[in-house]
Amino acid sequence: MADKKESKVETAKRQSNQLRGTIEQTLVSDAVCFDHDDIQALKFHGVYQQDDRDRRAGRDKHYMFMIRTKTPGGRMTAEQYLAMDDLARRYTWNNSLRITTRQAFQFHGIIKKELRQTIKEMNDALVSTLAACGDVERNVMASPAPIDSPAHRLNRHLADEIAAKLAPATGAYHEIWSDGEKQVRHEQPTDNEEPFYGEVYLPRKFKTGVALPEDNSVDVFTQDCGLVPIIRDGQIARVNVLVGGGLGMTHRKADTFARLGSPLGSVAPEDAADAVKIVVSIFRDHGNRADRRHARLKYLIEEWGMEKFKAEFVDRAEFALSEWIDPGPMQLRDYLGRNEQGDGKFFYGVWVENGRVIDTPQARPKTAFRRIAAELKPTVILTPGQSILFADMTADQIEQLQAILKEHNVRALDTIKGVRRYSMACPALPTCGLALAESERSFPSVVDEIERALADLGLEDEPITLRMTGCPNGCARPYTADIAFVGRKPEVYDVYVGGRLAGDRLAVLYAEQVKQSEIVAKLSPLFKSWAADRLPDETLGDFFDRLYTDGRPRTILTGSKEDQAYLKVVES
Ligand code: SRM
Ligand code: SF4
């Protein structure tokens, strides 16, 4: 690294005076947008400068901002939810809240002059946006189920503990957005030093998720660092640690790839948060700071190999790293409908189409959720599947909740089957500057068509993970799904097949550059052969894997066409 020039973003971070830059001056100026260096610093504050791509005219851009919250494990109080709902009504461009695939909220279309007020009001509600984006530890994910068991309690505790241990310490955030006040529970005391991150922070983003063997909804193998508590005799025995997962890649670039995390070993539960901190520190010290396309932990691990990485970890740890413990087959849970918590209370999961909480002429989920929060005061939990759980309720309250959902025409549970239930799409157009194709806006009609095709074969109730993204960056975690559509150019997608609900296997490229209108025709031969030749209960991904691939464990998926040579195999 010493001989390589640092990237422009590294220079911007170094010169930002711990993320201050000239953000304050630009906020109060007449400028319509921020400059390159401030755009980088703003991300650490949870803010993306975007433009409305529907309204782009040549070089003229209609600037606006996206704000992302940091909500470890996706949890918030009813009061906090109500504050977020209210902010969405007053400041977003379409009165919507967007639940992200990492259990946070995004607010789109914020105008520059309301940016500061929006974030200030979030902080007033004790919801932070600091480190929701940027080259730091991102929002820590955890199994969303509010179940009263040692494993679930540890899971929630770890999300908070890791978030607190790895929160930036800069005073810039509160100086700029909330007049120097310090408020939120999982933050460090503010300081002008960054004892852990230093002046250039991490080489790139870092993501952590805590799963349970019975619930891998956090897609633990896709995290830079994943934790899996292992239960023996009802107690937590150890916590497994995975390192080096990540999904972002670039079309046809073989040196970029999606990768599943590798087992590092296991640690005592009380050491798990420190184990994550050590992994982050290795990335901080050795990650690539010259080429941002290769600046993720997965590339460092591929370069070093696990043996060297493990040795470095052991060298830094003041606690024991033991063998990885086989967690057994992982499962995906979504907790839709009524569930027992185990403490006499109940929680209820509501499916949200692509995470977009918005009222339409057909259904009013946003109003319904607002009423649920205001009248029943549940704990609110955002799920890794872009849906929402309302927790800590009595049986009577669950009935009231169901009545409110019905009154507002929120889609009934029995109409959310197989392929729809586990579907996810990223926002893409018109807000995402990196989108090559539509995603959230075109996905619903694709899901309708696929659902019809499966129903014709009697397969409509089969659980299938179906995901769409507007580019290969992987924001809706496409490469671990049974089927995924990844945008290549407007209305054209690469189709991936062969992941599975457990999230522990990568898909392969099944068909390249398929027009949106031809997606179902392309998948039909596979559906037909699955219907005819599947083993009992065999999922689509497992069937494809058994019949059409060579059965080698798929832990890496590169962006090269050569490495994805399963094209047209089902058709022949
Ligand atoms: Fe993402 C960049 C949206 C989860 C990989 N992601 C973006 C940006 C900020 C575009 C940008 O950089 O200008 C997108 C904003 C779009 C918009 O208009 O809102 C964006 N990512 C999202 C969200 C909102 C998708 C969603 O449907 O919910 C998710 C926000 C999560 C959160 O709350 O923090 C989101 N992004 C992910 C995930 C999935 C995950 O983390 O579980 C991934 C794949 C895992 C990974 O990181 O490898 C992901 N996003 C990326 C990448 C590729 C990074 C890479 O290593 O190459 C980018 C591009 C980048 O960072 O330069 C990106
Ligand atoms: Fe944007 Fe691509 Fe992420 Fe979709 S996958 S939100 S298009 S960066």
Side-chain angles (χ1 to χ4, degrees), residues 1 137 166 196-197 201-206 224-225 241-244 264 273-289 294-319 321:
M1 275 299 301
E137 170 77 358
L166 286 163
F196 179 77
Y197 286 115
Y201 295 82
L202 301 180
R204 198 90 154 73
K205 59 180 92 168
F206 191 96
D224 290 280
C225 187
V241 184
L242 287 155
V243 291
L264 177 71
D274 282 330
V276 176
K277 194 167 177 180
I278 290 170
V279 175
V280 180
S281 75
I282 300 174
F283 177 55
R284 177 196 63 197
D285 299 343
H286 297 283
N288 188 328
R289 290 188 185 264
H294 291 123
R296 292 294 297 268
L297 182 67
K298 62 185 176 184
Y299 297 111
L300 180 68
I301 287 181
E302 281 299 308
E303 191 191 321
W304 277 14
M306 276 304 287
E307 214 173 302
K308 179 170 172 185
F309 189 86
K310 209 171 186 169
E312 181 71 29
F313 180 93
V314 170
D315 211 38
R316 294 181 185 216
E318 286 171 4
F319 50 83
L321 176 71

Side-chain angles (χ1 to χ4, degrees), residues 50 100-102 106 108 205 207 247 296 431 475 477:
Q50 298 186 319
T100 75
T101 53
R102 295 192 68 79
Q106 278 192 178
H108 286 109
K205 59 180 92 168
K207 297 178 172 179
L247 297 181
R296 292 294 297 268
T431 53
C475 297
R477 297 191 290 274

Side-chain angles (χ1 to χ4, degrees), residues 337-392:
R338 180 185 192 264
N339 302 276
E340 288 184 21
Q341 291 182 186
D343 58 358
K345 296 205 172 136
F346 298 88
F347 68 104
Y348 195 96
V350 186
W351 182 79
V352 179
E353 188 169 48
N354 303 322
R356 184 69 65 178
V357 183
I358 190 167
D359 286 349
T360 66
Q362 293 76 38
R364 292 188 299 137
K366 185 159 184 287
T367 308
F369 296 173
R370 183 175 179 83
R371 269 192 58 194
I372 290 166
E375 292 171 26
L376 308 175
K377 299 266 179 262
T379 300
V380 178
I381 307 160
L382 310 179
T383 79
Q386 300 175 321
S387 288
I388 194 163
L389 310 181
F390 297 102
D392 297 323

